[in-house]
Amino acid sequence: VTLRWIDPDGDLGHRSADDLVALPGTENASHPFWSPDGKSLGFFASGRLMTVAWQGGAPVPVADQVPQPFGGSWGGSQAIIFAPDAIMAALRRVATTGQRVEEATVLDPSLSDTSHAWPAFLPDGVHFLYFVRSADDKRRGVYIGRTVQPAAHAETMLLRSDSNAVFVALPGTDDGVLLYGVDGRVEARGFNPKTLRLTGDTRTLSGVSAAGTTLTQPLMVSASADMLVFASSTVPYRNASRLEAVGRAGTRLRFWETPEAQNWPRLSPDGQLLARQRVDPIRNTPDLWVEDLGRGSTLRVTTAVEPDIRPVWSPDARHLAYVSGNLAFRSGKRA
């Protein structure tokens, strides 16, 4: 995977893959975003935040320790806000010169929040939108952050949503529009970036789906004053997997059809139960689940905001030991 660009002159509707130009040095890149002047791109690769001039030049590392990025945005003050990890992580801020990385927001698990993701600077280069995932459905949505004050937890929700929001400026006015996903559809709502207030009524965009909005992907919609670009299908989970059971002779016994974010499958000693970690794609909560292989039923065992990982069965298959987010071992009794 490499970053590619296309010359926008002419009719985009007739462009093909042959018109794309690869940017050298951007192998394994993900989640690109533009600089305010449109001359450079920020992106993530190999656990780093990088920048590159798209008309020439080698990529420049800006920040390390970015294991699973959830988006970035480049402000007018040459600051980049980015989400470094998928679970239990807030936003970070760094200068494009690669100086010290600082907190941009503070994640507060006591509010049931599980991650801050997909930041997007507003035109003033100071305020930014970001998406909050939470185990509390009432807190899931889009919030506003500020670079001119100390990092804080998500306080006032701008709007409820299942995805990040894309801001589109309207030429000749102070107003703009926010595009965001709710229940598989894309909605539009007026927004004034100076007063930071919503305006008008909510409208649903006909013929545009909220494709791309998954645990690991943002809303795949982008727009200018006169053009809307959107994805028609969802990108599969990068870390999704499907379970398969085979007999000792290699014969397939069962194949779980639906890929999902999951880890550490553990069979009970009697072979009747399967424990594993499953990540809720909306709330971003990694919890332990137990499936009764004979009955085909499933039971959610843990409900903590913090990740619960690495289940181990007791010999009688009546208890599970596991590691919780605070790295303390706990015991959960089978119902």
Side-chain angles (χ1 to χ4, degrees):
V1 177
T2 59
L3 294 184
R4 296 172 182 267
W5 67 277
I6 186 170
D7 189 339
D9 293 337
D11 186 358
L12 285 177
H14 292 87
R15 296 295 184 177
S16 68
D18 295 334
D19 296 311
L20 298 174
V21 178
L23 298 181
T26 62
E27 293 78 9
N28 300 316
S30 67
H31 303 309
F33 52 94
W34 288 102
S35 63
D37 61 9
K39 295 181 180 180
S40 299
L41 286 167
F43 65 96
F44 303 92
S46 303
R48 287 179 166 183
L49 168 64
M50 314 277 285
T51 62
V52 63
W54 65 267
Q55 289 185 319
V60 177
V62 177
D64 295 321
Q65 298 182 352
V66 189
Q68 190 171 352
F70 267 32
S73 185
W74 195 323
S77 60
Q78 297 302 306
I80 291 177
I81 304 289
F82 66 100
D85 207 349
I87 296 174
M88 303 306 296
L91 301 180
R92 299 289 184 265
R93 177 174 58 200
V94 65
T96 55
T97 53
Q99 299 172 356
R100 183 167 60 94
V101 177
E102 301 175 328
E103 289 185 332
T105 61
V106 176
L107 189 75
D108 189 347
S110 69
L111 299 174
S112 297
D113 295 348
T114 57
S115 66
H116 297 168
W118 315 124
F121 269 107
L122 292 172
D124 63 7
V126 174
H127 296 86
F128 58 90
L129 306 175
Y130 65 102
F131 180 55
V132 173
R133 290 190 187 274
S134 180
D136 181 354
D137 291 343
K138 295 180 180 179
R139 285 189 53 80
R140 185 173 64 252
V142 177
Y143 292 71
I144 296 178
R146 300 164 179 81
T147 60
V148 293
Q149 67 181 32
H153 66 76
E155 295 179 344
T156 304
M157 180 188 296
L158 179 64
L159 55 85
R160 290 279 302 274
S161 73
D162 295 331
S163 80
N164 58 300
V166 177
F167 174 76
V168 185
L170 298 179
T173 73
D174 291 334
D175 292 327
V177 175
L178 294 179
L179 306 177
Y180 54 95
V182 176
D183 294 331
R185 64 183 183 273
V186 175
E187 294 186 345
R189 182 77 184 271
F191 176 70
N192 187 308
K194 290 188 175 181
T195 63
L196 304 178
R197 293 183 179 274
L198 298 171
T199 61
D201 297 325
T202 300
R203 293 174 295 150
T204 299
L205 301 188
S206 177
V208 182
S209 67
T213 304
T214 67
L215 179 63
T216 57
Q217 298 293 338
L219 180 70
M220 290 194 173
V221 170
S222 185
S224 64
D226 57 0
M227 181 178 294
L228 175 70
V229 181
F230 64 94
S232 58
S233 60
T234 298
V235 176
Y237 288 145
R238 181 169 54 185
N239 296 324
S241 59
R242 290 185 287 184
L243 295 178
E244 181 176 1
V246 297
R248 292 181 181 274
T251 304
R252 175 181 287 178
L253 303 177
R254 180 182 171 186
F255 185 65
W256 282 254
E257 293 293 338
T258 304
E260 59 181 309
Q262 57 186 324
N263 295 288
W264 299 289
R266 296 289 186 268
L267 281 171
S268 61
D270 57 11
Q272 300 301 308
L273 303 171
L274 174 67
R276 53 183 162 140
Q277 180 205 64
R278 304 171 68 189
V279 183
D280 187 307
I282 297 296
R283 300 169 183 83
N284 200 20
T285 50
D287 291 309
L288 298 183
W289 291 69
V290 171
E291 179 176 353
D292 188 314
L293 299 178
R295 299 176 181 176
S297 60
T298 58
L299 174 68
R300 184 177 178 178
V301 177
T302 65
T303 58
V305 174
E306 297 86 355
D308 298 317
I309 65 175
R310 299 177 181 174
V312 177
W313 286 102
S314 62
D316 62 3
R318 295 184 59 83
H319 295 79
L320 282 171
Y322 61 96
V323 179
S324 190
N326 59 6
L327 299 184
F329 285 92
R330 299 179 182 177
S331 177
K333 186 174 183 180
R334 169 182 164 190

